[in-house]
Amino acid sequence: AQSVTQLGSHVSVSEGALVLLRCNYSSSVPPYLFWYVQYPNQGLQLLLKYTSAATLVKGINGFEAEFKKSETSFHLTKPSAHMSDAAEYFCAVSRMDSSYKLIFGSGTRLLVRP
Amino acid sequence: DAGVIQSPRHEVTEMGQEVTLRCKPISGHDYLFWYRQTMMRGLELLIYFNNNVPIDDSGMPEDRFSAKMPNASFSTLKIQPSEPRDSAVYFCASSSRQGGAAFFGQGTRLTVV
């Protein structure tokens, strides 16, 4: 079975600072990996996805993530935080086989200080 | 495309009543997921369908919960009878193919009093 662990339920950064949100996964087969963002009272919006092509994936709003198989990680980064980045971020995993089951981590709330 | 459409957006009901949540997936998508989001348990996968067939319902909490997908453009999640602990935001999502990203609806906020 696959699973996702997001380290840190809350991350606080200053505006303009580096954003780093951590995600580690467990999967018995090669995974697909995703990052989603959720603003208050809204659904989840896809930021980026890894599907076995390039290990460094670029997404919307200046975010990117790097797939590291040796570390079973898929951390999300952004060089410079904006106030509008304040939201909850979810990492998710599914399997590269017929058992397509999309499982989410517990989420990390990003706070951006002025 | 209008995206995944869920109705109603908000539902308040009394304990013991039947509740039906509705979802219209994105046209052409062949996977449909139902999730429940709460502060305590986060995002839980309840059930998912492929080509209208339920594939995995191991996340459905109790027999009070049931889901159907009678055709490619419509799915329902029913709770009968409802209980206060069912209060949560229920999301529907759809995906076009294996490994593709899932696209979410705006959710239904259910309150059972």
Side-chain angles (χ1 to χ4, degrees), chain A residues 32 34 36 38 41-44 46 49 51 90 94-104, chain B residues 9 31 33 35 37 43 45 48 56 58 91 95 97-106 109:
Chain A
Y32 294 124
F34 308 86
Y36 285 82
Q38 185 180 31
N41 299 316
Q42 294 189 23
L44 280 73
L46 179 69
K49 64 179 181 180
T51 56
F90 292 90
S94 69
R95 295 160 57 110
M96 286 188 189
D97 62 11
S98 60
S99 173
Y100 181 44
K101 188 172 179 178
L102 186 60
I103 301 298
F104 283 83
Chain B
R9 288 294 310 276
Y31 285 90
F33 307 85
Y35 290 89
Q37 186 177 35
L43 263 170
L45 176 63
Y48 78 97
D56 187 337
S58 60
F91 287 104
S95 176
R97 56 180 168 79
Q98 182 179 324
F103 293 86
F104 281 73
Q106 292 295 295
R109 182 174 295 276

Short mmCIF file of all heavy atoms in Angstrom, two decimals, chain A residues 32 34 36 38 41-44 46 49 51 90 94-104, chain B residues 9 31 33 35 37 43 45 48 56 58 91 95 97-106 109:
data_model
loop_
_atom_site.label_atom_id
_atom_site.label_comp_id
_atom_site.label_asym_id
_atom_site.label_seq_id
_atom_site.Cartn_x
_atom_site.Cartn_y
_atom_site.Cartn_z
N TYR A 32 3.24 7.78 -8.95
CA TYR A 32 2.96 9.11 -9.46
C TYR A 32 2.84 10.00 -8.21
O TYR A 32 2.30 9.57 -7.19
CB TYR A 32 1.63 9.16 -10.22
CG TYR A 32 1.59 8.37 -11.49
CD1 TYR A 32 0.61 7.40 -11.69
CD2 TYR A 32 2.51 8.60 -12.52
CE1 TYR A 32 0.55 6.68 -12.87
CE2 TYR A 32 2.46 7.87 -13.69
CZ TYR A 32 1.47 6.92 -13.87
OH TYR A 32 1.43 6.20 -15.03
N PHE A 34 2.03 14.08 -6.62
CA PHE A 34 1.32 15.33 -6.91
C PHE A 34 1.44 16.27 -5.71
O PHE A 34 1.54 15.84 -4.56
CB PHE A 34 -0.17 15.06 -7.15
CG PHE A 34 -0.47 14.00 -8.17
CD1 PHE A 34 -0.52 12.66 -7.79
CD2 PHE A 34 -0.71 14.33 -9.49
CE1 PHE A 34 -0.80 11.67 -8.72
CE2 PHE A 34 -0.98 13.35 -10.43
CZ PHE A 34 -1.02 12.02 -10.05
N TYR A 36 -0.94 19.55 -4.35
CA TYR A 36 -2.16 20.33 -4.51
C TYR A 36 -2.15 21.48 -3.50
O TYR A 36 -1.55 21.37 -2.43
CB TYR A 36 -3.40 19.47 -4.24
CG TYR A 36 -3.76 18.50 -5.33
CD1 TYR A 36 -3.12 17.27 -5.43
CD2 TYR A 36 -4.74 18.81 -6.27
CE1 TYR A 36 -3.45 16.37 -6.43
CE2 TYR A 36 -5.09 17.91 -7.27
CZ TYR A 36 -4.43 16.70 -7.34
OH TYR A 36 -4.77 15.81 -8.34
N GLN A 38 -4.87 24.21 -1.41
CA GLN A 38 -6.26 24.46 -1.05
C GLN A 38 -6.37 25.80 -0.35
O GLN A 38 -5.77 26.00 0.72
CB GLN A 38 -6.82 23.36 -0.15
CG GLN A 38 -8.30 23.51 0.15
CD GLN A 38 -8.84 22.41 1.04
OE1 GLN A 38 -8.13 21.85 1.87
NE2 GLN A 38 -10.11 22.06 0.86
N ASN A 41 -12.18 27.41 2.04
CA ASN A 41 -13.52 27.17 1.49
C ASN A 41 -13.51 26.86 0.00
O ASN A 41 -14.49 27.14 -0.71
CB ASN A 41 -14.43 28.37 1.76
CG ASN A 41 -14.61 28.63 3.24
OD1 ASN A 41 -14.81 27.69 4.02
ND2 ASN A 41 -14.46 29.87 3.65
N GLN A 42 -12.41 26.30 -0.47
CA GLN A 42 -12.34 25.91 -1.87
C GLN A 42 -11.89 24.47 -2.00
O GLN A 42 -11.46 23.84 -1.03
CB GLN A 42 -11.37 26.82 -2.63
CG GLN A 42 -11.84 28.26 -2.72
CD GLN A 42 -10.98 29.08 -3.67
OE1 GLN A 42 -10.32 28.54 -4.55
NE2 GLN A 42 -11.01 30.38 -3.50
N GLY A 43 -11.99 23.95 -3.21
CA GLY A 43 -11.49 22.61 -3.49
C GLY A 43 -9.99 22.62 -3.66
O GLY A 43 -9.34 23.65 -3.52
N LEU A 44 -9.45 21.48 -3.97
CA LEU A 44 -8.01 21.36 -4.16
C LEU A 44 -7.65 21.65 -5.61
O LEU A 44 -8.32 21.19 -6.54
CB LEU A 44 -7.53 19.95 -3.79
CG LEU A 44 -7.33 19.68 -2.31
CD1 LEU A 44 -8.66 19.55 -1.59
CD2 LEU A 44 -6.48 18.43 -2.11
N LEU A 46 -4.54 21.56 -8.51
CA LEU A 46 -3.26 20.93 -8.82
C LEU A 46 -2.17 21.97 -9.01
O LEU A 46 -2.33 22.92 -9.78
CB LEU A 46 -3.39 20.09 -10.09
CG LEU A 46 -2.13 19.39 -10.56
CD1 LEU A 46 -1.74 18.27 -9.59
CD2 LEU A 46 -2.31 18.84 -11.97
N LYS A 49 2.78 17.81 -10.98
CA LYS A 49 2.74 16.35 -10.88
C LYS A 49 4.02 15.73 -11.44
O LYS A 49 4.64 16.28 -12.35
CB LYS A 49 1.53 15.79 -11.62
CG LYS A 49 1.56 16.02 -13.13
CD LYS A 49 0.32 15.41 -13.79
CE LYS A 49 0.35 15.62 -15.31
NZ LYS A 49 -0.86 15.05 -15.96
N THR A 51 5.28 12.17 -13.15
CA THR A 51 4.77 10.93 -13.73
C THR A 51 5.88 10.19 -14.47
O THR A 51 5.64 9.62 -15.53
CB THR A 51 3.59 11.21 -14.67
OG1 THR A 51 4.01 12.16 -15.66
CG2 THR A 51 2.40 11.76 -13.92
N PHE A 90 -1.08 20.01 -0.03
CA PHE A 90 -1.19 18.58 0.14
C PHE A 90 -0.32 17.85 -0.88
O PHE A 90 -0.36 18.16 -2.07
CB PHE A 90 -2.64 18.12 -0.06
CG PHE A 90 -3.59 18.58 1.00
CD1 PHE A 90 -4.27 19.78 0.85
CD2 PHE A 90 -3.81 17.83 2.14
CE1 PHE A 90 -5.15 20.23 1.83
CE2 PHE A 90 -4.69 18.26 3.12
CZ PHE A 90 -5.36 19.46 2.96
N SER A 94 -0.04 8.12 -6.08
CA SER A 94 -0.78 7.00 -6.63
C SER A 94 0.21 6.05 -7.29
O SER A 94 1.40 6.36 -7.38
CB SER A 94 -1.86 7.43 -7.61
OG SER A 94 -1.29 7.95 -8.79
N ARG A 95 -0.25 4.94 -7.75
CA ARG A 95 0.64 3.90 -8.23
C ARG A 95 0.70 3.86 -9.75
O ARG A 95 -0.29 4.12 -10.41
CB ARG A 95 0.16 2.54 -7.73
CG ARG A 95 0.22 2.35 -6.23
CD ARG A 95 -0.70 1.23 -5.79
NE ARG A 95 -0.39 -0.03 -6.44
CZ ARG A 95 0.15 -1.08 -5.81
NH1 ARG A 95 0.45 -1.00 -4.54
NH2 ARG A 95 0.37 -2.20 -6.44
N MET A 96 1.88 3.50 -10.26
CA MET A 96 2.04 3.34 -11.71
C MET A 96 1.66 1.93 -12.13
O MET A 96 2.40 1.26 -12.82
CB MET A 96 3.50 3.61 -12.12
CG MET A 96 3.88 5.06 -12.08
SD MET A 96 5.52 5.25 -12.81
CE MET A 96 5.87 6.96 -12.43
N ASP A 97 0.52 1.49 -11.68
CA ASP A 97 0.03 0.21 -12.17
C ASP A 97 -1.48 0.32 -12.24
O ASP A 97 -2.03 1.40 -12.21
CB ASP A 97 0.51 -0.94 -11.27
CG ASP A 97 -0.01 -0.83 -9.84
OD1 ASP A 97 -0.89 0.00 -9.56
OD2 ASP A 97 0.51 -1.58 -8.99
N SER A 98 -2.15 -0.79 -12.32
CA SER A 98 -3.58 -0.75 -12.53
C SER A 98 -4.35 -0.29 -11.30
O SER A 98 -5.52 0.05 -11.39
CB SER A 98 -4.08 -2.12 -12.96
OG SER A 98 -3.78 -3.08 -11.95
N SER A 99 -3.69 -0.28 -10.15
CA SER A 99 -4.39 0.10 -8.92
C SER A 99 -4.25 1.59 -8.71
O SER A 99 -3.41 2.05 -7.94
CB SER A 99 -3.80 -0.67 -7.74
OG SER A 99 -4.36 -0.19 -6.53
N TYR A 100 -5.03 2.36 -9.40
CA TYR A 100 -4.93 3.81 -9.32
C TYR A 100 -5.72 4.30 -8.12
O TYR A 100 -6.93 4.42 -8.18
CB TYR A 100 -5.46 4.43 -10.61
CG TYR A 100 -5.38 5.94 -10.62
CD1 TYR A 100 -4.23 6.59 -10.17
CD2 TYR A 100 -6.42 6.71 -11.07
CE1 TYR A 100 -4.16 7.96 -10.18
CE2 TYR A 100 -6.34 8.08 -11.09
CZ TYR A 100 -5.21 8.72 -10.64
OH TYR A 100 -5.11 10.06 -10.65
N LYS A 101 -5.01 4.56 -7.01
CA LYS A 101 -5.66 4.97 -5.77
C LYS A 101 -4.91 6.18 -5.26
O LYS A 101 -3.78 6.08 -4.81
CB LYS A 101 -5.59 3.82 -4.78
CG LYS A 101 -6.39 4.02 -3.52
CD LYS A 101 -6.38 2.71 -2.72
CE LYS A 101 -7.16 2.84 -1.43
NZ LYS A 101 -7.19 1.56 -0.70
N LEU A 102 -5.50 7.34 -5.34
CA LEU A 102 -4.84 8.59 -5.01
C LEU A 102 -4.97 8.86 -3.51
O LEU A 102 -6.07 9.10 -3.02
CB LEU A 102 -5.46 9.72 -5.83
CG LEU A 102 -4.81 11.10 -5.74
CD1 LEU A 102 -3.36 11.03 -6.21
CD2 LEU A 102 -5.60 12.09 -6.59
N ILE A 103 -3.83 8.83 -2.82
CA ILE A 103 -3.81 8.98 -1.37
C ILE A 103 -3.10 10.29 -1.00
O ILE A 103 -2.03 10.57 -1.53
CB ILE A 103 -3.07 7.80 -0.70
CG1 ILE A 103 -3.75 6.48 -1.06
CG2 ILE A 103 -3.03 7.98 0.82
CD1 ILE A 103 -5.17 6.36 -0.60
N PHE A 104 -3.69 11.03 -0.06
CA PHE A 104 -3.16 12.33 0.32
C PHE A 104 -2.46 12.29 1.67
O PHE A 104 -2.81 11.50 2.56
CB PHE A 104 -4.30 13.35 0.40
CG PHE A 104 -4.77 13.83 -0.94
CD1 PHE A 104 -5.69 13.09 -1.67
CD2 PHE A 104 -4.27 15.00 -1.49
CE1 PHE A 104 -6.10 13.51 -2.92
CE2 PHE A 104 -4.69 15.44 -2.74
CZ PHE A 104 -5.61 14.70 -3.45
N ARG B 9 -23.80 22.85 -2.37
CA ARG B 9 -22.56 23.35 -1.77
C ARG B 9 -22.60 23.26 -0.26
O ARG B 9 -21.59 23.04 0.40
CB ARG B 9 -22.33 24.80 -2.19
CG ARG B 9 -21.92 24.98 -3.64
CD ARG B 9 -20.55 24.37 -3.95
NE ARG B 9 -19.51 24.77 -3.02
CZ ARG B 9 -18.81 25.89 -3.10
NH1 ARG B 9 -19.04 26.74 -4.07
NH2 ARG B 9 -17.86 26.16 -2.21
N TYR B 31 -12.15 8.12 -14.25
CA TYR B 31 -12.02 7.83 -12.83
C TYR B 31 -12.79 8.88 -12.04
O TYR B 31 -12.73 10.07 -12.35
CB TYR B 31 -10.56 7.88 -12.37
CG TYR B 31 -9.73 6.68 -12.80
CD1 TYR B 31 -9.06 6.68 -14.01
CD2 TYR B 31 -9.62 5.57 -11.97
CE1 TYR B 31 -8.30 5.59 -14.40
CE2 TYR B 31 -8.86 4.48 -12.35
CZ TYR B 31 -8.21 4.49 -13.56
OH TYR B 31 -7.44 3.41 -13.94
N PHE B 33 -13.61 9.95 -7.84
CA PHE B 33 -13.24 9.73 -6.44
C PHE B 33 -14.18 10.51 -5.53
O PHE B 33 -14.56 11.63 -5.85
CB PHE B 33 -11.81 10.24 -6.18
CG PHE B 33 -10.77 9.69 -7.11
CD1 PHE B 33 -10.53 10.27 -8.33
CD2 PHE B 33 -9.99 8.61 -6.74
CE1 PHE B 33 -9.56 9.78 -9.20
CE2 PHE B 33 -9.02 8.10 -7.59
CZ PHE B 33 -8.80 8.69 -8.82
N TYR B 35 -14.01 11.93 -1.60
CA TYR B 35 -13.19 12.15 -0.41
C TYR B 35 -14.00 12.85 0.66
O TYR B 35 -14.94 13.58 0.37
CB TYR B 35 -11.97 13.04 -0.74
CG TYR B 35 -10.92 12.40 -1.61
CD1 TYR B 35 -10.99 12.49 -2.99
CD2 TYR B 35 -9.83 11.74 -1.05
CE1 TYR B 35 -10.01 11.92 -3.80
CE2 TYR B 35 -8.85 11.17 -1.85
CZ TYR B 35 -8.96 11.27 -3.22
OH TYR B 35 -7.98 10.70 -4.01
N GLN B 37 -13.25 15.38 4.06
CA GLN B 37 -12.20 16.17 4.74
C GLN B 37 -12.72 16.67 6.07
O GLN B 37 -13.76 17.32 6.16
CB GLN B 37 -11.78 17.36 3.88
CG GLN B 37 -10.60 18.13 4.46
CD GLN B 37 -10.13 19.27 3.56
OE1 GLN B 37 -10.92 19.93 2.89
NE2 GLN B 37 -8.83 19.49 3.51
N LEU B 43 -7.87 14.43 4.69
CA LEU B 43 -8.55 13.99 3.47
C LEU B 43 -8.55 12.47 3.41
O LEU B 43 -7.51 11.85 3.27
CB LEU B 43 -7.81 14.53 2.25
CG LEU B 43 -8.30 15.80 1.60
CD1 LEU B 43 -7.30 16.29 0.60
CD2 LEU B 43 -9.66 15.62 0.96
N LEU B 45 -9.94 9.07 1.41
CA LEU B 45 -10.56 8.51 0.22
C LEU B 45 -11.64 7.53 0.66
O LEU B 45 -11.37 6.56 1.37
CB LEU B 45 -9.51 7.79 -0.63
CG LEU B 45 -10.03 7.06 -1.87
CD1 LEU B 45 -10.66 8.04 -2.85
CD2 LEU B 45 -8.91 6.27 -2.54
N TYR B 48 -13.61 4.91 -4.98
CA TYR B 48 -13.39 5.42 -6.32
C TYR B 48 -13.91 4.45 -7.37
O TYR B 48 -14.00 3.24 -7.14
CB TYR B 48 -11.94 5.84 -6.55
CG TYR B 48 -10.93 4.75 -6.80
CD1 TYR B 48 -10.54 4.39 -8.10
CD2 TYR B 48 -10.30 4.11 -5.74
CE1 TYR B 48 -9.57 3.44 -8.32
CE2 TYR B 48 -9.34 3.15 -5.96
CZ TYR B 48 -8.96 2.82 -7.24
OH TYR B 48 -8.00 1.86 -7.47
N ASP B 56 -12.67 0.40 -5.38
CA ASP B 56 -12.20 0.25 -4.00
C ASP B 56 -13.09 1.08 -3.10
O ASP B 56 -13.10 2.30 -3.21
CB ASP B 56 -10.74 0.70 -3.90
CG ASP B 56 -10.12 0.43 -2.53
OD1 ASP B 56 -10.88 0.29 -1.54
OD2 ASP B 56 -8.89 0.35 -2.45
N SER B 58 -13.00 0.54 0.30
CA SER B 58 -12.50 0.21 1.63
C SER B 58 -12.49 1.42 2.58
O SER B 58 -12.41 1.25 3.78
CB SER B 58 -11.09 -0.38 1.55
OG SER B 58 -10.20 0.53 0.94
N PHE B 91 -15.70 15.91 -0.94
CA PHE B 91 -15.20 16.31 -2.25
C PHE B 91 -15.37 15.18 -3.25
O PHE B 91 -15.15 14.00 -2.93
CB PHE B 91 -13.72 16.69 -2.20
CG PHE B 91 -13.43 17.99 -1.54
CD1 PHE B 91 -12.92 18.05 -0.25
CD2 PHE B 91 -13.66 19.18 -2.21
CE1 PHE B 91 -12.65 19.26 0.36
CE2 PHE B 91 -13.39 20.40 -1.61
CZ PHE B 91 -12.89 20.43 -0.32
N SER B 95 -10.58 12.08 -12.92
CA SER B 95 -9.30 12.01 -13.60
C SER B 95 -9.50 11.32 -14.93
O SER B 95 -10.38 10.46 -15.09
CB SER B 95 -8.30 11.24 -12.74
OG SER B 95 -7.08 11.07 -13.43
N ARG B 97 -7.15 9.50 -16.81
CA ARG B 97 -6.45 8.26 -17.10
C ARG B 97 -5.56 7.91 -15.93
O ARG B 97 -5.29 8.73 -15.07
CB ARG B 97 -5.61 8.38 -18.36
CG ARG B 97 -4.61 9.54 -18.29
CD ARG B 97 -3.77 9.66 -19.54
NE ARG B 97 -3.03 10.92 -19.58
CZ ARG B 97 -1.91 11.15 -18.92
NH1 ARG B 97 -1.41 10.21 -18.15
NH2 ARG B 97 -1.30 12.30 -19.01
N GLN B 98 -5.11 6.72 -15.95
CA GLN B 98 -4.23 6.27 -14.88
C GLN B 98 -3.01 7.18 -14.79
O GLN B 98 -2.35 7.43 -15.77
CB GLN B 98 -3.80 4.84 -15.14
CG GLN B 98 -2.92 4.25 -14.06
CD GLN B 98 -2.55 2.82 -14.37
OE1 GLN B 98 -3.36 2.08 -14.93
NE2 GLN B 98 -1.34 2.44 -14.05
N GLY B 99 -2.75 7.65 -13.60
CA GLY B 99 -1.60 8.52 -13.39
C GLY B 99 -1.86 9.98 -13.67
O GLY B 99 -1.04 10.83 -13.35
N GLY B 100 -3.02 10.27 -14.25
CA GLY B 100 -3.33 11.66 -14.49
C GLY B 100 -3.73 12.33 -13.20
O GLY B 100 -4.10 11.71 -12.22
N ALA B 101 -3.66 13.64 -13.19
CA ALA B 101 -4.03 14.38 -12.00
C ALA B 101 -5.54 14.35 -11.83
O ALA B 101 -6.29 14.35 -12.79
CB ALA B 101 -3.54 15.81 -12.09
N ALA B 102 -5.97 14.34 -10.59
CA ALA B 102 -7.40 14.42 -10.28
C ALA B 102 -7.80 15.88 -10.14
O ALA B 102 -7.07 16.69 -9.56
CB ALA B 102 -7.70 13.67 -8.98
N PHE B 103 -8.95 16.21 -10.68
CA PHE B 103 -9.49 17.56 -10.59
C PHE B 103 -10.67 17.54 -9.63
O PHE B 103 -11.55 16.68 -9.75
CB PHE B 103 -9.90 18.06 -11.97
CG PHE B 103 -8.72 18.26 -12.88
CD1 PHE B 103 -8.22 17.22 -13.63
CD2 PHE B 103 -8.10 19.50 -12.97
CE1 PHE B 103 -7.11 17.39 -14.45
CE2 PHE B 103 -7.00 19.69 -13.78
CZ PHE B 103 -6.49 18.63 -14.53
N PHE B 104 -10.66 18.50 -8.71
CA PHE B 104 -11.63 18.50 -7.62
C PHE B 104 -12.78 19.46 -7.85
O PHE B 104 -12.60 20.53 -8.46
CB PHE B 104 -10.93 18.89 -6.31
CG PHE B 104 -10.17 17.76 -5.69
CD1 PHE B 104 -8.98 17.32 -6.24
CD2 PHE B 104 -10.66 17.13 -4.56
CE1 PHE B 104 -8.27 16.27 -5.67
CE2 PHE B 104 -9.96 16.07 -3.98
CZ PHE B 104 -8.78 15.64 -4.54
N GLY B 105 -13.94 19.08 -7.32
CA GLY B 105 -15.05 20.00 -7.22
C GLY B 105 -14.87 20.92 -6.03
O GLY B 105 -13.89 20.82 -5.29
N GLN B 106 -15.82 21.82 -5.85
CA GLN B 106 -15.74 22.80 -4.76
C GLN B 106 -16.13 22.22 -3.41
O GLN B 106 -15.93 22.85 -2.38
CB GLN B 106 -16.63 24.00 -5.08
CG GLN B 106 -16.13 24.82 -6.26
CD GLN B 106 -14.79 25.47 -5.96
OE1 GLN B 106 -14.67 26.32 -5.09
NE2 GLN B 106 -13.75 25.05 -6.67
N ARG B 109 -20.30 21.06 1.95
CA ARG B 109 -20.12 21.14 3.41
C ARG B 109 -21.37 20.60 4.06
O ARG B 109 -22.44 21.22 3.96
CB ARG B 109 -19.85 22.57 3.85
CG ARG B 109 -19.59 22.70 5.35
CD ARG B 109 -19.19 24.11 5.73
NE ARG B 109 -17.91 24.47 5.13
CZ ARG B 109 -16.72 24.17 5.63
NH1 ARG B 109 -16.64 23.51 6.77
NH2 ARG B 109 -15.62 24.58 5.03
#
